[in-house]
Amino acid sequence: MPVRLSVPKEGADGERRVALDPTVATRFGKMGLSVQLEKDAGAAARFPDAAYPDAQVLDTAEVYAQADIMVRVAPPTVAEVEQLPEGATLVGFFHAHRSPEVMAALQHRKILSFAMELIPRISRAQSMDALSSQAAVAGYKAALMGADLSCRFFPMLTTAAGTIRPSKVIVIGAGVAGLQAIATARRLGAMVEAYDVRSATKEQVESLGAKFLDLGVKAEGEGGYARELTEDEKKQQQEALAGFIAKADVLITTAAIPGRPSPKLIPAGMVRGMKSGAVIVDLAAEGGGNCELTEPGKTIEHGDVIIHGPLNVPSQVALHASEMYAKNLLNFLSPMIRDGEFKPDWDDEVIAKSCLTRDGEIVHAPTREAIQGDAS
């Protein structure tokens, strides 16, 4: 009997993505897997059931009960985990440190789980890096949000009524999201400046036509991430940033540290120093925001400044975000599927480090320590 690969309809509020698009679903079928799709699983991403000719469409209970491997986008609930057969495999985003009750359910059901956010950032795993693929979507959308909320044009315009100067956009954080925000803002005609505590990003920023702001604070971390700044470094950073941000028409912040609250880079006093009509798009709102005043999931006005704290931004570009995520899953799972059978190679660094639970145990040490620490 072929391995059954199940795709549920996402139940999280506002989640429009689906784990597999039709093209990738067909490719899994050609690898010898039986693809099972929950009814209307792809509808919100504009993939109707009829677009999956090689998948079997099932109701909710069946798609869970018959799953050997389930792939999903948003973290599961306890109820969803409990519907899976004991010993099944679950792949998706988990953010496990936030949900000890889900971890307990995974252990109880002896679910083999792989967290896409734990895939190591090494060259060989770039095609599997779902954090990066979805961050690219968010960065693109952030620039459009800034342009939409701004009371100013982004490009320079020469009109019969005179010449309009281009907007100045500042991007904080030059990771995947920040670089995509820079590129998109530049395409829209804005003057763009960017800052990152990782000096290695300077060349990438400048290659996109933006000016790199050197504030004299560097914080190179492991795995391509920035380390957390000391209090003195934070103070130096904020003082140096204030003068630049005061001139910005749109500020896009993207600085996040996985598993921790977003660093507060923009205090209330800095917001008060911004020009009338300025916009802050805080892409770090999921972790509380880079701006002290950000209210996650809301758009507010503080004085004359608009502060936008969007959540789950990739879901707003659901079709392409789903296609990108599905390819990440395909590239991640393909090495584990041999002759139509699911056979993970535990000597493979990518497989071993992305594993969250196995045989009733939490095998990812940082998650285990975080949950044990919260329980004590």
Side-chain angles (χ1 to χ4, degrees), residues 50-92:
Y52 294 85
D54 302 306
Q56 183 181 8
V57 179
L58 305 175
D59 62 27
T60 303
E62 290 176 316
V63 86
Y64 278 87
Q66 298 183 27
D68 294 317
I69 304 171
M70 175 170 280
V71 289
R72 57 181 302 126
V73 182
T77 64
V78 171
E80 287 169 336
V81 172
E82 289 177 343
Q83 291 181 72
L84 288 169
E86 186 169 316
T89 298
L90 184 60
V91 186

Side-chain angles (χ1 to χ4, degrees), residues 135 138-150 154 168-186 188 190-196 213 241 245 248-255 265-266 274 278-285 290-291 294 306 308 310 313:
Y140 161 80
K141 195 68 175 178
L144 301 185
M145 292 173 180
D148 185 48
L149 291 168
S150 179
F154 263 30
K168 175 171 285 190
V169 174
I170 294 181
V171 178
I172 306 297
V176 174
L179 292 172
Q180 191 60 245
I182 292 167
T184 305
R186 287 284 296 144
L188 293 173
M191 296 186 299
V192 184
E193 298 176 341
Y195 167 70
D196 195 291
L213 302 177
L241 270 176
I245 288 175
D249 297 303
V250 174
L251 172 65
I252 299 172
T253 67
T254 70
L265 307 178
I266 315 297
M274 295 180 75
V279 174
I280 298 174
V281 179
D282 195 339
L283 276 190
N290 293 142
C291 177
T294 295
I306 297 171
H308 184 48
V313 177

Side-chain angles (χ1 to χ4, degrees), residues 47 97 113 190 231 249 335 346 369:
F47 299 122
H97 60 285
S113 62
E231 290 303 317
D249 297 303
W346 296 110
E369 292 163 6

Side-chain angles (χ1 to χ4, degrees), residues 93 95 97 115-122 125-126 128-135 173-178 195-201 204 217-229 237 254-263 353-354 364 366:
F93 286 116
H95 308 299
H97 60 285
M116 294 300 284
E117 70 269 23
L118 297 182
I119 290 175
R121 287 194 155 177
I122 58 177
Q126 285 183 348
M128 313 171 192
D129 190 350
L131 284 178
S132 291
S133 73
Q134 302 306 290
V176 174
Y195 167 70
D196 195 291
V197 291
R198 299 165 300 166
S199 56
T201 62
Q204 294 170 298
V217 179
K218 296 179 175 59
E220 316 290 345
E222 295 181 1
Y225 296 105
R227 64 167 173 81
E228 195 165 1
L229 299 180
Q237 180 188 64
T254 70
I257 303 173
R260 298 185 185 181
S262 303
K353 288 189 174 181
S354 59
H364 182 248

Side-chain angles (χ1 to χ4, degrees), residues 198-217:
R198 299 165 300 166
S199 56
T201 62
K202 180 176 186 290
E203 185 177 341
Q204 294 170 298
V205 167
E206 292 177 344
S207 72
L208 295 173
K211 177 184 177 182
F212 185 81
L213 302 177
D214 188 349
L215 307 183
V217 179

Side-chain angles (χ1 to χ4, degrees), residues 224-241:
Y225 296 105
R227 64 167 173 81
E228 195 165 1
L229 299 180
T230 65
E231 290 303 317
D232 287 343
E233 287 172 331
K234 289 178 184 176
K235 183 178 179 181
Q236 180 186 345
Q237 180 188 64
Q238 289 178 358
E239 289 174 350
L241 270 176

